[in-house]
């Protein structure tokens, strides 16, 4: 890897001009009683914080240096933070097999408590083999700082396909939660209670990072007894403001905007930009009616189950009501073009459990702008003859990229300014060139020729992800089974998507013999920019003739197993953006065809005048 640098259906809502939610201040004595112990009702269920007292935490931190340690990945880090601060109450650690199995089967813990999402600590086989039940494991952040100690109560293997089917209702890798589960989650889990040493450290938006305890204290100090929480992972615009004001009015409550700032859907707007948008939007609410607080959650995009999970978490944070809109936590459409979840399934599931949850569902349809009345209305209040206008997320991104006007009815000027700063108009668009073909087909040579052409007239950063170098560094230890080859290509795709996300150029040149793996890379990259698949379709005989390492001869002699084109299949692309014969012309000529394609697609400027 080298970097070159020069469901219930929505209820009808009474139409009225939005007004501030009714305030119900408490007396001073009632207020003092209310937040004297924020771990107890009336503002939510009893919390189970897992941090040790300071002296015990210090002693455990000192002792943790001698314990086997596990460095948490981004999802595990989010999960641990919410375990420790009580947001995942009543959980007291990562799930054992008994809890895990019952959650999959019944959406309940082993003791019968409602809980829909597995909270697990997956580790690699080698680490699991070094651990026994009863051992202690230090759980560390990516810098090696000990955050907690796990007492191992269970070590167990899982079937990820079964989990995908039961939790997500699909095994389609287009679902980001399924992809994470099948491609990146490990098969062996450690279960057991955790004891907290210290909270994960954050450096951004510190005043907005509440624990359940501190948020309950804040809401109690405001005298808020009825709180309607709003979940979001996207920037908020006028429609969201109208929806939350109406929901608060309906519930006679105040608004808690609690966006997810942990892991969301790949391709989402980064949380720094989103939080700035939320802060700008907050001034457009009626005075003293809305508060903003951040949630460091790793979303699974599990639709109805996730909505139920979100409701439990919001209850722990002190909310009394929870807004659930159409397709809550849905990841879009499957490989057949059908939505993964029914549009109102999340509303129906959460409503069916709201008595047990102790939090009331506020179901809402989409809010739409009716131009002839100059007002936002729930979609079920639109009448025949009304002129409905909307701007989709795709259309908003296009307008930002092209510098086109974003109308005032859609969002506020302050929000537009923040989004334009993050996504400046006419900025170079990141893209990936993905070469695929047999060993010896000429992929790497053509890729190098393309890089040279680009760098002759451009200073844009280019990252080459060549098959051999990726195997040496990024995918060291992987073999050549179908699963390992898929993992290798997925890793290439992930790095390429990050390069593209930051406006760079990724040039990938693996063999990538399987269509499904290449399709996964396309999905990862196209979340951020353009993907150009180039099939270097050089005849097998020509590849063997130019094989300087003698790999084909060894494969035909049976000395190399699973060699693509000889003892393992190559699934040719069906609709690549470009088809080249690596033996039909010299690399410079073939590179010229690629440059012309990029220019025609507007990904680079005219080479006679330099590249954008």
């Amino acid at each position: 890897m080298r970097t070159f640098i020069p469901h219930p259906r929505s209820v009808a809502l009474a139409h009225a001009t939005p007004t501030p939610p009714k305030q119900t201040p408490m007396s001073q004595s009632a207020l003092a009683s209310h937040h004297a112990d924020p771990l107890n009702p009336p503002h939510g269920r009893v919390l189970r914080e897992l941090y040790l007292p300071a002296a015990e935490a210090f002693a455990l931190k000192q002792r943790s240096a001698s314990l086997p340690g596990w460095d948490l990945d981004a999802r595990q880090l989010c999960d641990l933070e919410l375990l420790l601060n009580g947001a995942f109450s009543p959980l007291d650690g990562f799930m054992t097999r008994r809890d895990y199995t019952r959650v999959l089967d019944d959406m309940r813990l082993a003791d019968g408590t409602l809980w829909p999402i597995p909270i697990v600590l997956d580790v690699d086989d080698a680490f699991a083999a070094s651990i026994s039940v009863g051992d202690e494991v230090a759980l560390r952040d990516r810098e090696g700082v000990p955050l907690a100690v796990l007492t191992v109560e269970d070590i167990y293997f899982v079937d990820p396909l079964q989990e995908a089917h039961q939790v997500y209702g699909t095994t389609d890798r287009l679902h980001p939660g399924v992809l994470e589960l099948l491609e990146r989650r490990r098969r062996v889990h450690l279960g057991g209670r955790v004891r907290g040493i210290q909270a994960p450290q954050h450096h951004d938006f510190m005043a907005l990072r509440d624990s359940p305890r501190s948020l309950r204290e804040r809401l109690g100090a405001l005298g808020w007894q009825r709180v309607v929480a709003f979940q979001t992972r996207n920037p908020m615009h006028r429609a969201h403001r109208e929806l939350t004001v109406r929901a608060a009015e309906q519930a006679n409550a105040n608004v808690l905007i609690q966006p997810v700032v942990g892991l969301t859907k790949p391709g989402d707007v980064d949380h720094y930009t989103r939080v700035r948008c939320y802060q700008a939007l907050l001034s457009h609410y009626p005075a003293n009616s809305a508060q903003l607080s951040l949630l460091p959650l790793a979303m699974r995009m599990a639709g109805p189950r996730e909505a139920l999970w979100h409701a439990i978490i919001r209850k722990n944070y002190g909310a009394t009501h929870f807004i659930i809109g159409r397709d809550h936590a849905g990841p879009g459409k499957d490989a057949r073009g059908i939505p993964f979840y029914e549009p109102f399934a999340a509303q129906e599931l959460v409503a069916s459990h709201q008595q047990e949850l102790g939090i009331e569902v506020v179901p809402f349809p989409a809010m739409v702008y009716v131009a002839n009345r100059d007002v936002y209305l729930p979609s079920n209040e639109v009448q025949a003859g009304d002129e409905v206008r909307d701007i989709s997320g795709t259309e908003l991104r296009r307008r930002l990229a092209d510098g086109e006007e974003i109308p005032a009815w859609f969002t506020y000027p302050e929000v537009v300014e923040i989004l334009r700063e993050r996504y400046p108009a006419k900025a170079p668009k990141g893209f990936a060139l993905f070469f695929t073909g047999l060993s010896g087909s000429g992929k790497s040579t053509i890729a190098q020729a393309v890089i040279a052409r680009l760098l002759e007239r451009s200073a844009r950063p280019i990252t080459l992800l060549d098959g051999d170098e990726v195997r040496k560094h990024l995918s060291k230890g992987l073999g050549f089974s179908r699963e390992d080859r898929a993992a290798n290509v997925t890793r290439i795709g992930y790095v390429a998507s990050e390069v593209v996300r930051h406006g760079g150029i990724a040039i990938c040149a693996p063999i990538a013999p399987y269509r499904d793996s290449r399709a996964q890379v396309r999905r990862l990259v196209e979340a951020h920019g353009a993907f150009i698949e180039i099939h270097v379709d050089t005849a097998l005989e020509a590849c063997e003739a130019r094989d300087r390492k003698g790999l084909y001869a060894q494969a035909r002699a049976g000395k190399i197993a699973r060699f693509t084109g000889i003892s393992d299949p190559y699934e040719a692309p069906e609709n690549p953006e470009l088809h080249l014969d690596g033996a039909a012309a010299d690399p410079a000529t073939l590179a010229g065809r690629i440059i012309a394609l990029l220019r025609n697609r507007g990904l680079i400027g005219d080479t006679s005048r330099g590249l954008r």
Side-chain angles (χ1 to χ4, degrees):
M1 181 170 60
R2 286 174 281 169
T3 300
F4 300 80
I5 305 177
H7 339 320
R9 306 305 183 196
S10 299
V11 296
L13 302 176
H15 173 52
T17 302
T19 57
K22 181 179 178 181
Q23 303 296 307
T24 54
M26 302 179 187
S27 67
Q28 290 300 312
S29 59
L31 180 57
S33 171
H34 176 79
H35 64 85
D37 182 3
L39 298 188
N40 290 300
H43 233 314
R45 70 166 72 192
V46 175
L47 293 177
R48 182 176 291 182
E49 288 185 333
L50 305 180
Y51 290 110
L52 293 174
E56 294 180 39
F58 179 78
L60 186 59
K61 181 178 181 179
Q62 298 298 106
R63 190 163 63 82
S64 70
S66 63
L67 299 176
W70 179 256
D71 291 344
L72 302 165
D73 61 29
R75 175 185 54 80
Q76 294 169 342
L77 196 61
C78 289
D79 287 352
L80 180 65
E81 180 170 2
L82 297 181
L83 280 169
L84 295 178
N85 70 17
F88 282 176
S89 291
L91 301 187
D92 62 2
F94 291 100
M95 291 180 178
T96 62
R97 180 190 293 274
R98 290 181 67 240
D99 283 328
Y100 170 83
T101 302
R102 181 122 193 241
V103 166
L104 263 58
D105 292 343
D106 304 321
M107 298 194 303
R108 294 186 181 276
L109 303 177
D111 66 4
T113 302
L114 189 65
W115 191 273
I117 298 292
I119 305 299
V120 297
L121 181 67
D122 56 303
V123 299
D124 60 45
D125 292 357
F127 186 78
S130 70
I131 299 298
S132 300
V133 170
D135 287 350
E136 294 179 316
V137 175
L139 303 179
R140 306 177 301 211
D141 67 14
R142 283 168 286 190
E143 283 72 47
V145 176
L147 304 176
V149 169
L150 167 75
T151 301
V152 180
E153 300 172 21
D154 201 358
I155 303 172
Y156 59 103
F157 286 85
V158 302
D159 180 351
L161 285 172
Q162 179 185 9
E163 182 176 333
H165 178 72
Q166 291 185 261
V167 174
Y168 298 104
T170 180
T171 57
D172 188 336
R173 283 173 166 81
L174 274 178
H175 190 300
V178 171
L179 177 67
E180 159 76 17
L181 175 62
L182 299 185
E183 297 289 348
R184 292 188 282 276
R185 276 260 299 278
R186 293 158 286 257
R187 276 37 172 179
V188 59
H189 294 174
L190 306 182
R193 185 173 181 270
V194 297
R195 289 168 289 160
I197 296 172
Q198 58 187 316
Q201 189 170 22
H202 297 286
H203 304 284
D204 59 321
F205 305 114
M206 295 299 295
L208 299 175
R209 289 186 174 272
D210 294 287
S211 68
R213 174 192 286 267
S214 67
L215 184 58
R216 289 184 182 193
E217 289 177 338
R218 178 146 69 99
L219 301 180
L222 290 168
W224 288 13
Q225 298 185 50
R226 295 170 66 85
V227 179
V228 59
F230 180 65
Q231 150 90 24
T232 180
R233 41 168 263 270
N234 294 308
M236 291 175 64
H237 303 293
R238 285 184 181 268
H240 304 98
R241 186 265 185 197
E242 296 299 323
L243 184 154
T244 51
V245 167
R246 281 171 169 260
E249 185 178 79
Q250 176 181 315
N252 190 27
N254 296 89
V255 178
L256 172 64
I257 300 170
Q258 196 175 40
V260 171
V261 295
L263 298 179
T264 61
K265 184 180 177 182
D268 283 350
V269 176
D270 66 275
H271 82 267
Y272 298 99
T273 302
R274 289 190 287 113
V275 173
R276 292 173 62 208
C277 291
Y278 305 140
Q279 290 173 317
L281 186 78
L282 209 60
S283 64
H284 293 278
Y285 279 84
N288 305 316
S289 69
Q291 291 285 313
L292 174 64
S293 182
L294 309 184
L295 180 66
L297 180 73
M299 290 186 68
R300 274 61 164 181
M301 304 303 298
R305 276 191 182 233
E306 179 123 358
L308 187 59
W309 188 41
H310 290 173
I312 294 170
I313 293 167
R314 273 30 185 250
K315 176 67 175 179
N316 286 330
Y317 272 95
T320 58
H321 296 71
F322 185 46
I323 299 169
I324 300 182
R326 181 184 176 93
D327 195 27
H328 185 106
K333 297 180 179 179
D334 63 18
R336 302 165 296 167
I338 299 172
F340 281 104
Y341 307 112
E342 291 295 324
F344 301 103
Q347 293 181 357
E348 293 168 356
L349 179 65
V350 181
S352 70
H353 291 285
Q354 65 182 355
Q355 277 195 312
E356 181 178 2
L357 288 171
I359 189 170
E360 190 172 328
V361 174
V362 183
F364 245 88
M367 296 293 292
V368 296
Y369 179 68
V370 181
N372 54 295
R373 293 196 255 172
D374 189 26
V375 68
Y376 271 93
L377 293 176
S379 57
N380 58 6
E381 291 185 12
V382 174
Q383 300 175 3
D386 278 340
E387 182 185 346
V388 175
R389 294 181 185 174
D390 188 24
I391 294 179
S392 67
T394 301
E395 173 65 10
L396 176 61
R397 288 189 292 272
R398 187 195 67 77
R399 288 176 181 242
L400 289 169
D402 294 344
E404 290 187 17
E405 177 191 4
I406 298 173
W409 60 260
F410 176 74
T411 195
Y412 296 98
E414 308 97 300
V415 174
V416 173
E417 183 179 354
I418 293 166
L419 292 175
R420 288 202 188 281
E421 182 183 5
R422 175 62 180 84
Y423 301 101
K426 309 299 182 183
K429 184 179 181 181
F431 65 87
L433 299 180
F434 191 89
F435 293 85
T436 175
L438 297 175
S439 176
S441 61
K443 303 183 299 298
S444 296
T445 304
I446 299 169
Q448 292 284 0
V450 170
I451 291 171
R453 290 288 299 274
L454 292 173
L455 291 178
E456 282 177 349
R457 296 177 178 270
S458 171
R460 290 184 64 180
I462 303 172
T463 298
L464 173 64
L465 298 163
D466 184 70
D468 289 340
E469 290 199 13
V470 168
R471 279 277 179 182
K472 182 178 179 182
H473 301 290
L474 189 63
S475 295
K476 186 177 181 179
L478 289 181
F480 291 89
S481 66
R482 186 180 183 103
E483 292 75 17
D484 281 0
R485 287 174 186 248
N488 176 58
V489 173
T490 299
R491 291 177 186 182
I492 291 172
Y494 172 75
V495 175
S497 71
E498 287 296 294
V499 171
V500 171
R501 182 164 71 93
H502 293 287
I505 301 171
I507 297 185
C508 314
I511 293 173
Y514 306 123
R515 292 192 188 99
D516 56 354
S517 299
R518 297 193 300 264
Q520 173 56 26
V521 175
R522 180 183 290 275
R523 290 191 289 269
L524 288 171
V525 170
E526 288 186 338
H528 306 293
F531 180 85
I532 306 294
E533 185 177 44
I534 302 167
H535 182 199
V536 184
D537 188 15
T538 308
L540 177 61
E541 296 77 14
C543 294
E544 289 195 70
R546 59 170 61 161
D547 179 22
R548 292 173 293 181
K549 299 179 183 178
L551 298 177
Y552 280 98
Q554 293 180 59
R556 290 195 180 278
K559 297 180 180 179
I560 300 178
R562 301 184 65 94
F563 192 85
T564 302
I566 302 298
S567 54
D568 208 58
Y570 177 80
E571 300 172 358
E574 296 176 335
N575 296 293
E577 278 74 13
L578 191 62
H579 187 278
L580 301 174
D581 182 347
D586 62 88
T589 300
L590 297 174
R593 290 185 59 187
I594 297 170
I595 294 295
L597 174 65
L598 296 176
R599 189 168 57 247
N600 291 337
R601 295 205 170 195
L603 296 172
I604 61 174
D606 190 330
T607 53
S608 66
R609 294 182 284 106
L611 306 179
R612 290 197 300 271

